[in-house]
């Protein structure tokens, strides 16, 4: 199976080149790849489906992180892989016609092939993290495909929405999968599925389950995350048919099915999965009311269908799982076909508005045939597979513990609405009064009707002869249930209550069809309710996030250096002070007694200078006062018998004062911009900083000095390094490398000064007023 | 020979800095020297890494003064790893600079400064002496300050001023902490410190010093709430310089944090490392929110640097072998991914005429290859599989969940969604949105255009390769992390087996 994935990626690399060579016709060529895979997979069917043996491959990838290229082709994987490759081939052929002449047709082929490989990866992975890798790849390719017509704002917004919702869910999924593999002690799905009991009794089960469900629900557009799917309909129609109906959106459902042996069966699973599924199936059906766009109608019923599948997986048990699998298959056939039909109609007439379409049967005969066949299945009419699926659905509801009036009531309502939508989509455009369309309808080429006819035909054939698909369905059911349950399917169940429910659904549907205009007017209510829907929540959340982000940035990065300095000093004082105070009983500071008078005088002078500086308005006076502090330091060095340090300090101070005086002489006086409360706060922070450093110095000097390397320097300076001046020897020998670094700094400063003076790009004069970052901040504030 | 190799990361940049100084007016020569010098630096880093992996930690005593009296240079797997990344990035940036840097700046010492910056960075990576580390920090600071101000544009000077003042606060704190540490232990050698701090008489005071170092290095690493210098300055110099800074400066801060909090300050891990974890969380969030508010690509990416620093701290805060390995892996990933995004920003500017997303557009239609070149590192930064960022994120998430640190894991995942948000924002605005004005094609000679494109292609491939081939790098990170968690080996290597 690695061969499939690798060949896909390698092939994808050549697609741009092949497309340039073969042009629009290359759709037929590119379809050969999935067709080849289809035959390869079908060749494995006797083994996988007949003998119930899964084919496994294990290749190490990142063993340190426990990620393995583990693939497994079992019944469930086979079902999905066949759907992905089969529909994929048809969609690629279709894309050859549908996007003919589009400047991005080559990119379409590339992206759809990449998506197909990723989707195959999802369904064939036997490792949670490998599955996740492919899962995210489908999200990214979906993003790029939804935004295919990226010149339009709507397409960009819809692509973004779909990505953020599914990728957000994907992150929850990642956490959930990592938790699950830590609980199970393995990332291999087949191993995890054998340890279901242990996993479900783990304390982390709930967390893992919830996180995984968020991932599955966002991907499969379950309520309340369903809103991205109808918006994703801005994608080209083959994309909608393939990603957003037949395959990708089923990834969430697939994941639920895949992990059923490990996670299902608890009351939490049942309650959560089935009720979310039920809500989704109702919401999907009800929101379809009032829609006039073919694709949006199909999208909402897709949401409903995904809800049905989730509902069934939530219910669990032999019957419900069987129903779910049949439903997946039936839906893939009819919905894929109908999307492609909608695209053909759109291409032919230039509109997808059901109110404007009609009487296309004579112009699009094959498309009409496909539409009718698929419509029968969607409406749940015999003898199509859709009928069978619906019967099984009702049967599982009868068996379930849900109150029947609720579950059956909801199912019948949704079924009836689906019937009406099927009629609207598959019947109305082709018959009845003539159309009122943007351009006169033109016939379409074979690429347009081949796919729909094959898919809808399959739905009919399998409905009439379910035995054809029984091994496939049985294989999938068996791998979900991990049992050897035998599946028997028959169109005719005899006269049962279920048949009655079916008839009731059809009757209600027929009634709805008869009065569909009134019904659709009722659907207008959704437009009024939209401001309270979850899509609105997404929008509000996104805007709120942006506003919060802008506010936070304005507050933190406000452009004022004084604020930055203060925050840093404050953080230092708080964190270090807290650590110090919380750890030391009290600071044993002694030896205040031996302060001599002249030391006292020097220190008082320095403190006085420090207090005066912030109050000065003249720069010259400030420089002079700062000089006082510096010379005070010189005196202290002298008192403590460090004449060399004193000399250095003296030279530095003198030079600094002279340079400053020269530089600031022409500058204006300081202006005071900060209000008094801020200045008071500044004072507190400054005092805090000073106190912290003072306390540290006092504590440290109160402790006995640790002589260690200094003794060595004193002893060996002359002996080993031949120098009498220990400080000099330290600088140039013992720690010569430091000095190398420091002289480099000096050299750099030289280059810097030279460059600054000589090289002024942009403006020659430099103003420090109205600094750029502050201006920006002011600008933001004004907004 | 193996031990002299330890000196290469210092000597090579110094030597080439001096050569470039001699070639002050010969810009063509300087260009050649830049490419050759960085390539040698990179190769010697690889050689050093190879030696360290196979023969263990290597040390050199400067001037042959025995430890702890002289300055020790110590290269363990972590150090060598960092030198390799720094050398590799420097090489790619040097190539890019051939096409991107304006002649005026080259004539005023761009390349000498570039090499001295590298010398400071590599010095910090290989020194085994805490005061010597301070010296390299100063070298780095001065070199980066001048590089940032070089050109003297108004915005540059403002940014550089804020940059240098805030970083001097860090230096002051670093120096004060070192003074306290010295008076407590009487030594500056890190191996010696490691021993003495384990047996010190004042563990509480040591924790206070640890917090001082934490703050000093956190300023360098642009950690919340100390990161102000970065967004205030990174958008001002030429993008080539910013790309270099983004890969090196903050990462040296993170390197220093990892070094001292695995080797020296282990007295109260429950306190210090939890503090680091919390700071990491806040850094991720504030950084990514800052990015969400930006429209200038350079500012947006600058805020993302901060956000990603949070991830690096997360691994240190969790303080397990796999968490540290995750941090090291993440380091390679983020340095490459972030630098290449800056380089792409430069191309967008050259062709679209702006750094502002509101004025850019149309690149997906006109330049699909550039779009792909952007998408790889951008999605990688957002942690999309199978790119490098995914494995970094995965490793951190796994390490966090094993430790039961659910909050930080949740935060890190939410932040990666926001990262995806702002990366796709760039995509939507600059690539998908129709262009408001005609895009220019890249100007310059073929050679210059190659110089602009080649590093981007290489770095895109590295991002992809680091993801698909994550195993060797991650295994190496594991080895380096194991070494970090065994300070005894470091001490033994410095003292020749006699601690």
């Amino acid at each position: 199976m690695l061969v499939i994935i690798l060949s896909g990626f390698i092939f994808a690399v050549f697609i741009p080149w092949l497309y340039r060579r073969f042009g629009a016709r290359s759709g037929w060529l590119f379809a050969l790849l999935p067709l080849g895979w289809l035959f390869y997979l079908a060749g494995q069917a006797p083994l996988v489906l007949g003998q119930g043996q899964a084919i496994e491959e294990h290749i190490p990838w990142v063993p340190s992180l426990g990620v393995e290229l583990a693939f497994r082709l079992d019944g469930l994987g086979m079902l999905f892989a066949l759907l992905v490759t089969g529909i994929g081939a048809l969609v690629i052929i279709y894309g050859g016609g549908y996007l003919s002449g589009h400047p991005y047709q080559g990119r379409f082929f590339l992206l759809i092939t990449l998506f197909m490989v990723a989707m195959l990866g999802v369904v064939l992975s036997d490792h949670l993290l490998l599955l996740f890798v492919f899962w995210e790849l489908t999200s990214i390719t979906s993003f790029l495909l939804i935004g295919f017509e990226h010149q339009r704002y709507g397409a960009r917004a819809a692509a973004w929405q779909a990505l953020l919702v599914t990728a957000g869910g994907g992150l929850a999924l990642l956490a959930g999968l990592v938790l699950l593999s830590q609980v199970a002690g393995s990332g291999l799905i087949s191993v995890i599925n054998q340890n279901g009991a242990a996993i479900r009794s783990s304390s982390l089960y709930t967390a893992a389950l919830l996180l995984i469900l968020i991932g599955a629900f966002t991907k499969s557009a379950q309520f309340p995350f369903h809103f991205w799917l109808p918006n994703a309909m801005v994608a080209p129609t083959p994309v909608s048919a393939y990603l957003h109906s037949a395959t990708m959106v089923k990834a969430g459902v697939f994941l639920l099915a895949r992990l059923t042996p490990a996670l299902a069966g608890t009351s939490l699973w049942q309650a959560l999965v089935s009720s979310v599924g039920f809500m989704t199936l109702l919401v999907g059906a009800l929101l379809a009311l009032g829609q006039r766009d073919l694709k949006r109608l199909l999208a909402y019923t897709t949401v409903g269908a995904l809800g049905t599948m989730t509902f069934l997986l939530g219910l669990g048990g032999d019957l419900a799982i069987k129903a779910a699998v049949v439903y997946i298959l039936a839906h893939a056939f009819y919905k894929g076909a109908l999307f492609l039909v909608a695209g053909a109609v759109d291409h032919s007439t230039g509109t997808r508005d059901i109110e404007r379409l009609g009487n296309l049967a004579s112009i699009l005969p094959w498309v009409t045939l496909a539409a009718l066949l698929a419509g029968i299945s969607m409406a749940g009419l015999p003898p199509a597979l859709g009928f069978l699926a619906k019967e099984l659905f009702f049967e599982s509801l009868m068996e379930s513990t849900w109150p029947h009036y609720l579950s059956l009531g909801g199912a019948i309502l949704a079924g009836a609405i689906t019937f009406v939508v099927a009629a609207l989509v598959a019947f109305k455009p082709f018959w009845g009064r003539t159309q009122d369309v943007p351009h006169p309808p033109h016939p379409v080429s074979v690429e347009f009707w081949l796919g729909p006819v094959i898919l809808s035909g399959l739905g009919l054939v399998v409905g009439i002869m379910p035995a054809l698909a029984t091994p496939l369905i049985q294989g999938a059911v068996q791998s979900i249930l991990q049992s050897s349950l035998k599946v028997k399917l028959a169109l005719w169940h005899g006269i049962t209550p279920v048949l009655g429910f079916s008839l009731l659904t059809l009757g209600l549907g027929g009634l709805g069809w008869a009065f569909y205009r009134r019904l659709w007017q009722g659907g207008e209510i959704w437009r009024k309710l939209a401001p309270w829907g979850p899509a609105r929540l997404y929008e509000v959340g996104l805007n709120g996030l942006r506003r919060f982000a802008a506010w936070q940035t304005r507050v933190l990065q406000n452009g004022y250096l004084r604020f930055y300095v203060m925050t840093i000093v404050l953080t230092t004082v708080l964190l270090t002070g807290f650590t110090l105070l919380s750890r030391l009983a009290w600071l044993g500071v002694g030896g205040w007694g031996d302060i001599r008078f002249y030391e006292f005088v020097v220190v008082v002078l320095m403190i006085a200078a420090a207090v005066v500086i912030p109050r000065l308005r003249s720069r010259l006076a400030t420089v002079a006062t700062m000089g006082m502090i510096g010379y005070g330091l010189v005196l202290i060095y002298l008192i403590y018998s460090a004449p060399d340090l004193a000399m250095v300090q003296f030279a530095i101070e003198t030079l600094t004062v002279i340079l400053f005086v020269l530089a600031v002489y022409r500058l204006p006086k300081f202006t005071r911009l900060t209000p008094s409360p801020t200045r008071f706060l500044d004072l507190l922070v400054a005092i805090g900083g000073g106190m912290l450093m003072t306390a540290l110095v006092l504590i440290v000097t109160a402790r006995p000095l640790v002589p260690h390397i200094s003794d060595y320097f004193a002893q060996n300076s002359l002996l080993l390094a031949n120098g009498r001046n220990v400080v000099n020897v330290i600088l140039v020998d013992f720690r010569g490398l430091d000095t190398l670094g420091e002289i480099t700094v000096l050299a750099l400063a030289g280059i810097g000064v030279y460059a600054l003076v000589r090289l002024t790009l942009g403006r020659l004069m430099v103003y420090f007023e109205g600094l750029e970052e502050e201006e920006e901040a002011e600008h933001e504030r004004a907004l | 020979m193996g031990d002299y190799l330890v000196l290469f990361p210092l000597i090579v940049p110094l030597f080439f800095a001096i050569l470039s100084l001699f070639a002050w007016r010969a810009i063509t020569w300087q260009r050649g020297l830049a490419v050759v010098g960085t390539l040698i630096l990179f190769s010697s880093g690889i050689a050093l890494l190879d030696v360290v992996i196979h023969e263990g930690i290597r040390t050199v005593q400067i001037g042959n003064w025995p430890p702890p009296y002289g300055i020790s240079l110590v290269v363990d797997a972590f150090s060598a790893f960092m030198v390799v990344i720094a050398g590799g990035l420097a090489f790619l940036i040097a190539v890019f600079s051939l096409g991107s840097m304006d002649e005026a700046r080259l004539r005023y010492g761009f390349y000498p400064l570039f090499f001295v910056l590298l010398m400071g960075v590599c010095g910090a990576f290989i020194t085994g002496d805490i005061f010597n580390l301070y010296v390299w920090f100063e070298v780095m600071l001065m070199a980066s300050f001048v590089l940032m101000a070089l050109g003297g544009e108004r915005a540059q000077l403002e940014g550089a001023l804020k940059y240098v003042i805030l970083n001097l606060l860090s230096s002051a704190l670093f120096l004060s902490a070192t003074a306290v540490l010295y008076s407590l232990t009487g030594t500056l050698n890190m191996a010696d410190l490691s021993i003495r701090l384990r047996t010190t008489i004042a563990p509480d005071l040591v924790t206070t010093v640890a917090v001082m170092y934490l703050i000093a290095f956190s300023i360098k690493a642009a950690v919340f709430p100390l990161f102000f210098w970065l967004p205030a300055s990174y958008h001002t110099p030429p993008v080539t310089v910013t790309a270099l800074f983004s890969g090196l400066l903050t990462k040296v801060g993170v390197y220093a944090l990892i070094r001292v909090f695995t080797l020296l300050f282990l007295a109260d891990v429950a306190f210090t490392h939890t503090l680091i974890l919390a700071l990491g969380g806040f850094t991720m969030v504030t950084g990514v929110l800052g990015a969400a508010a930006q429209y200038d690509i350079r500012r947006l990416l600058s805020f993302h640097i901060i956000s990603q620093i949070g991830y690096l701290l997360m691994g240190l805060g969790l303080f397990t072998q796999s968490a540290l390995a995750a941090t090291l892996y993440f380091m390679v990933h983020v340095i490459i991914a972030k630098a290449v995004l800056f380089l792409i920003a430069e191309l967008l500017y050259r062709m679209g005429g702006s750094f502002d997303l509101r004025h850019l557009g149309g690149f997906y239609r006109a330049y699909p290859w550039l779009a792909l070149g952007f998408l790889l590192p951008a999605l990688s930064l957002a942690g999309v599989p199978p790119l490098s960022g995914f494995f970094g994120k995965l490793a951190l998430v796994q390490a966090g969940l094993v430790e039961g640190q659910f909050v930080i894991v949740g935060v890190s995942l939410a932040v990666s969604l926001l990262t995806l948000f702002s990366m796709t924002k760039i995509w939507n605005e600059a690539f998908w949105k129709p262009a408001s004005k005609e895009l220019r094609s890249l100007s310059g000679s073929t050679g210059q255009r190659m110089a602009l494109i080649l590093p981007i292609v290489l770095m895109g491939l590295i991002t992809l390769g680091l993801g698909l081939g994550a195993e060797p790098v991650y295994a190496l990170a594991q080895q380096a992390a194991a070494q970090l968690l065994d300070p005894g080996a470091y001490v033994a290597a410095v003292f020749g087996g006699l601690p």
Side-chain angles (χ1 to χ4, degrees), chain A residues 306-319:
Chain A
L306 292 168
T308 309
M309 296 165 204
T310 307
F311 187 30
L312 285 167
L313 288 171
L315 290 178
D318 294 356
L319 193 57

Side-chain angles (χ1 to χ4, degrees), chain A residues 178-453:
Chain A
V178 171
L179 274 184
L180 181 59
S181 33
Q182 285 178 356
V183 169
S186 167
L188 288 178
I189 296 171
S190 45
V191 174
I192 289 170
N193 276 344
Q194 274 154 19
N195 295 320
I199 289 165
R200 288 189 292 271
S201 58
S202 149
S203 60
L204 288 172
Y205 167 76
T206 310
L209 176 66
L210 290 178
L211 291 166
I212 291 173
L213 287 184
I214 292 176
F217 289 166
T218 48
K219 194 81 163 178
S220 278
Q222 298 294 304
F223 179 83
F225 306 114
H226 62 277
F227 55 89
W228 69 265
L229 184 57
N231 292 340
M233 293 300 129
V234 294
T237 305
V239 172
S240 308
Y242 191 40
L243 274 72
H244 303 122
S245 182
T247 59
M248 187 190 88
V249 287
K250 291 206 177 84
V253 174
F254 169 81
L255 184 68
L256 294 182
R258 184 46 102 202
L259 292 176
T260 287
L263 299 175
T266 60
S267 50
L268 182 66
W269 166 285
Q270 270 173 350
L272 215 58
V273 178
S274 61
S275 46
V276 167
F278 185 68
M279 275 302 288
T280 311
L281 96 93
L282 276 185
V283 165
L286 290 175
L287 287 179
L289 296 176
Q291 297 295 336
R292 293 169 48 152
D293 180 294
L294 284 178
K295 282 180 74 179
R296 287 186 82 86
L297 277 167
L298 290 171
Y300 280 113
T301 49
T302 304
V303 170
L306 292 168
T308 309
M309 296 165 204
T310 307
F311 187 30
L312 285 167
L313 288 171
L315 290 178
D318 294 356
L319 193 57
I321 297 295
K322 189 168 86 175
V325 172
V326 175
Y327 207 100
I328 288 170
L329 194 64
H331 180 257
F333 285 156
Y334 74 70
K335 197 53 78 56
L338 284 177
F339 264 110
L340 297 182
V341 164
V345 168
D346 188 10
H347 195 269
S348 169
T349 63
T351 181
R352 297 196 303 254
D353 186 342
I354 48 165
E355 293 298 331
R356 301 172 70 182
L357 291 166
N359 204 17
L360 287 169
S362 54
I363 302 161
L364 306 171
W366 287 102
V367 175
T368 312
L369 173 71
L372 282 181
L373 294 183
I376 289 172
S377 193
M378 179 173 173
L381 289 168
L385 189 58
F387 171 72
L388 223 161
K390 187 170 293 172
E391 296 269 290
L392 282 170
F393 178 37
F394 285 140
E395 256 183 73
S396 348
L397 291 183
M398 298 280 295
E399 259 196 8
S400 80
T401 52
W402 274 59
H404 289 173
Y405 64 90
L406 185 65
S407 59
L408 279 167
I412 289 170
L413 177 66
I417 294 176
T418 310
F419 179 93
V420 180
V421 173
L424 281 175
V425 172
F427 186 79
K428 187 173 176 304
F430 303 98
W431 315 96
R433 65 187 175 82
T434 29
Q435 62 282 349
D436 151 41
V437 291
H439 56 75
H442 59 79
V444 291
S445 57
V446 58
E447 287 101 330
F448 283 91
W449 55 259
L450 184 72
V453 167

Side-chain angles (χ1 to χ4, degrees), chain A residues 61 583 700 735 738 761 772, chain B residues 129 132 151 158 183 268 468:
Chain A
W61 185 13
R583 260 141 237 277
V700 169
R735 301 189 62 89
D738 287 343
L761 301 171
E772 191 241 4
Chain B
D129 185 286
N132 194 236
E158 186 207 344
S183 65
D268 192 355
L468 293 177

Side-chain angles (χ1 to χ4, degrees), chain A residues 61-65 67 104 107 129 132-133 136-137 140 143-144 147 150-151 156 159-160 163-164 167-168 171 174-175 178-179 182 204 542 545-546 548-550 552-553 556-557 559 561 563-565 567-568 571-572 575-576 578-580 583 693 696 699-700 703 706 708-710 712-713 720-721 733-735 737-738 741-742 744-745 748 751-752 754-756 758-761 763 766 770-773 775-776, chain B residues 24 65-66 68-71 102 104-105 108 113 116 129 131-132 135 139 142-143 146 150-154 157-158 162 165-166 173 176 180 182-188 192 196 201-202 204-205 207-208 211-212 215 219 225 227-228 231-232 235 268 271 286 289-290 293-294 299 303 364-365 368 379 384-385 390-391 393-395 398 401-402 413 416-418 420-421 424-425 427-428 432-434 468 471 474:
Chain A
W61 185 13
V62 192
S64 311
L65 287 169
V67 186
Y104 287 168
R107 295 185 198 187
L129 293 173
F132 181 77
V133 168
E136 292 289 87
L137 272 180
I140 297 294
F143 167 70
L144 293 172
H150 58 82
Q151 319 297 81
R156 296 198 298 274
W160 212 10
L163 180 71
L164 291 181
L171 290 167
L174 176 63
V178 171
L179 274 184
Q182 285 178 356
L204 288 172
L542 204 60
L545 175 78
R546 283 181 163 151
F548 178 72
Q552 182 227 260
T553 315
L556 277 181
Q557 196 70 31
L561 184 58
F563 169 79
Y564 302 161
V565 172
T567 311
I568 290 176
T571 310
T572 313
L575 277 183
T576 319
F578 168 78
T579 317
L580 190 65
R583 260 141 237 277
M693 293 317 291
L696 273 174
I699 294 168
V700 169
R703 300 165 53 83
V706 183
H708 180 35
I709 60 173
S710 49
Y712 177 89
F713 291 153
L720 297 175
D733 198 341
F734 289 122
R735 301 189 62 89
L737 191 62
D738 287 343
E742 293 297 351
T744 314
V745 172
L748 283 179
I751 297 179
Y754 176 71
L756 265 182
R758 297 288 300 274
L759 181 65
T760 44
L761 301 171
R763 301 178 179 209
V766 178
L771 296 171
E772 191 241 4
E773 200 198 7
E775 273 175 11
E776 186 83 10
Chain B
W24 185 257
W65 294 108
Y69 309 114
I71 292 173
D102 52 297
R105 285 189 173 84
Y108 284 89
L113 291 166
V116 175
D129 185 286
F131 184 78
N132 194 236
V135 172
V139 171
M142 185 52 84
V146 179
L150 189 66
E153 292 172 27
R154 188 176 129 182
L157 290 179
E158 186 207 344
K162 286 177 178 166
I165 289 178
L166 295 173
L173 202 57
S176 314
V180 175
Y182 178 70
S183 65
L184 285 178
T185 59
T187 188
L188 293 167
D192 200 21
R196 288 174 170 258
I201 359 151
D204 297 337
L205 208 50
T207 307
T208 307
V211 171
M212 289 173 78
I215 296 167
I219 295 175
F227 57 63
F228 309 107
H235 60 282
D268 192 355
F271 175 69
T286 46
L289 286 178
Q294 304 302 319
R299 288 170 190 259
F303 272 104
Y364 179 66
R365 173 173 283 269
L379 292 179
V384 171
F390 168 68
F391 289 100
K393 187 173 76 180
L394 175 67
Q398 282 185 345
L401 288 179
V402 165
L413 288 175
S416 86
L417 181 62
L418 291 176
L420 184 66
F421 168 83
T424 41
K425 179 167 102 179
W427 174 262
N428 279 351
W432 265 358
K433 191 179 62 191
L468 293 177
E471 180 58 22
Y474 192 77

Side-chain angles (χ1 to χ4, degrees), chain A residues 1-249:
Chain A
M1 279 154 281
L2 183 65
V3 178
I4 293 187
I5 306 292
L6 281 184
S7 64
F9 283 126
I10 293 168
F11 184 76
V13 173
F14 292 101
I15 284 181
W17 177 77
L18 286 170
Y19 177 73
R20 229 167 292 151
R21 251 198 99 164
F22 296 100
R25 298 242 154 241
S26 48
W28 296 96
L29 176 72
F30 297 145
L32 289 178
L33 183 74
L35 272 182
W37 292 337
L38 181 71
F39 285 119
Y40 169 80
L41 290 165
Q44 312 295 324
L47 187 68
V48 175
L49 301 178
Q51 300 171 28
Q53 261 187 12
I55 303 172
E56 298 194 358
E57 276 173 24
H58 295 267
I59 299 138
W61 185 13
V62 192
S64 311
L65 287 169
V67 186
E68 197 183 340
L69 292 172
F71 295 101
R72 191 163 191 270
L73 180 64
D74 61 356
L76 182 63
M78 180 65 97
L79 171 71
F80 273 91
L82 290 178
L83 286 178
V84 169
T85 49
I87 301 180
L90 296 176
V91 163
I92 288 176
I93 292 172
Y94 186 92
Y98 185 83
L99 289 170
S100 169
H102 194 289
Y104 287 168
Q105 197 182 24
R107 295 185 198 187
F108 165 81
F109 286 128
L110 174 65
L111 289 171
I112 205 111
T113 306
L114 282 177
F115 164 78
M116 186 163 55
V117 181
M119 194 62 211
L120 275 175
V122 169
V123 301
L124 294 178
S125 293
D126 190 33
H127 192 287
L128 290 178
L129 293 173
L130 185 64
L131 184 145
F132 181 77
V133 168
F134 290 118
W135 177 284
E136 292 289 87
L137 272 180
T138 63
S139 290
I140 297 294
T141 40
S142 161
F143 167 70
L144 293 172
L145 282 166
I146 297 174
F148 197 71
E149 303 287 352
H150 58 82
Q151 319 297 81
R152 302 212 313 266
Y153 173 76
R156 296 198 298 274
W160 212 10
Q161 186 184 57
L163 180 71
L164 291 181
V165 172
T166 53
L171 290 167
L173 178 65
L174 176 63
L177 294 180
V178 171
L179 274 184
L180 181 59
S181 33
Q182 285 178 356
V183 169
S186 167
L188 288 178
I189 296 171
S190 45
V191 174
I192 289 170
N193 276 344
Q194 274 154 19
N195 295 320
I199 289 165
R200 288 189 292 271
S201 58
S202 149
S203 60
L204 288 172
Y205 167 76
T206 310
L209 176 66
L210 290 178
L211 291 166
I212 291 173
L213 287 184
I214 292 176
F217 289 166
T218 48
K219 194 81 163 178
S220 278
Q222 298 294 304
F223 179 83
F225 306 114
H226 62 277
F227 55 89
W228 69 265
L229 184 57
N231 292 340
M233 293 300 129
V234 294
T237 305
V239 172
S240 308
Y242 191 40
L243 274 72
H244 303 122
S245 182
T247 59
M248 187 190 88
V249 287

